[in-house]
Amino acid sequence: MSDIMKLTVGERFDHNLPDEGMSVILVNGTPMLTFNFSLNRQQIDAFLNGSCSFGLFTENDALFFLFKIDNFLEWSDLAFTIHLAGDETVATGPGYLPFNLVLIDSATSIIKGLRVVTTTPEFGAILADITEQQAKQPFDTIAYYKTIGDIYEKYPSASDMLIKALIVEEGGITLPKH
């Protein structure tokens, strides 16, 4: 069983992160998106109050989380492989899958905002299926990053991936396919 991660607004986020940017990890089976940015009050408010949208895109065994927070962040993407998630697996079950969102001030590493938003059981099932399939495949780090690079050449923006996403949700409701 994984250690419990304590997150408190106003305290330091003492986990490894890129100097500035976004990361996605699994914590006890649930996705956690971290946003490590230079911030102002308006951005913090937008993070805390903006409607959230999520999507999943996959090609050549590579998985991308697609996400947007209204008035805070336009559609963005993060590549993910279960092979780099330690001994984690995606939580499965009939309920909604929570996403933990953590906003961190990049200058101080102080947590400025926390949110938990949910995706539908269908979204969780698709994510679990993709990561289970990834886990069954042999993993080569160099080949993985080459595949990611190739996908970014083909789909240079999250909006390009969104068109071919397996599922897209806004506010916990699955949107119809394009």
Side-chain angles (χ1 to χ4, degrees), residues 132-153:
E132 286 172 18
Q133 290 304 311
Q134 282 183 334
K136 292 176 184 175
Q137 302 299 319
F139 183 69
D140 176 302
T141 305
I142 294 170
Y144 170 72
Y145 286 109
K146 181 182 180 330
T147 298
I148 298 302
D150 292 345
I151 291 171
Y152 278 130
E153 282 185 25

Side-chain angles (χ1 to χ4, degrees), residues 24-123:
V24 61
I25 60 172
L26 288 180
V27 178
N28 298 322
T30 62
M32 182 171 77
L33 292 171
T34 61
F35 304 91
N36 191 30
F37 296 140
S38 299
L39 303 164
N40 62 41
R41 184 76 239 164
Q42 183 180 8
Q43 292 164 319
I44 295 168
D45 290 343
F47 171 85
L48 292 171
N49 298 304
S51 178
C52 294
S53 300
F54 295 99
L56 294 172
F57 170 81
T58 187
E59 187 166 296
N60 298 332
D61 296 323
L63 169 63
F64 291 81
F65 284 94
L66 308 174
F67 48 92
K68 173 181 129 169
I69 301 173
D70 285 346
N71 301 314
F72 175 74
L73 187 68
E74 290 304 313
W75 279 106
S76 300
D77 61 85
L78 285 170
F80 180 83
T81 179
I82 198 69
H83 294 284
L84 298 177
D87 61 355
E88 289 277 353
T89 58
V90 173
T92 56
Y96 282 71
L97 178 68
F99 268 71
N100 298 293
L101 307 178
V102 183
L103 183 62
I104 303 149
D105 185 307
S106 62
T108 63
S109 296
I110 299 294
I111 298 172
K112 295 294 185 174
L114 295 171
R115 289 182 73 176
V116 177
V117 294
T118 57
T119 56
T120 63
E122 180 186 6
F123 188 101

Side-chain angles (χ1 to χ4, degrees), residues 5 7 11-15 17 32 34 102 104 109 111:
M5 182 181 287
L7 301 172
E11 292 190 7
R12 285 183 59 80
F13 186 83
D14 288 324
H15 306 280
L17 283 178
M32 182 171 77
T34 61
V102 183
I104 303 149
S109 296
I111 298 172

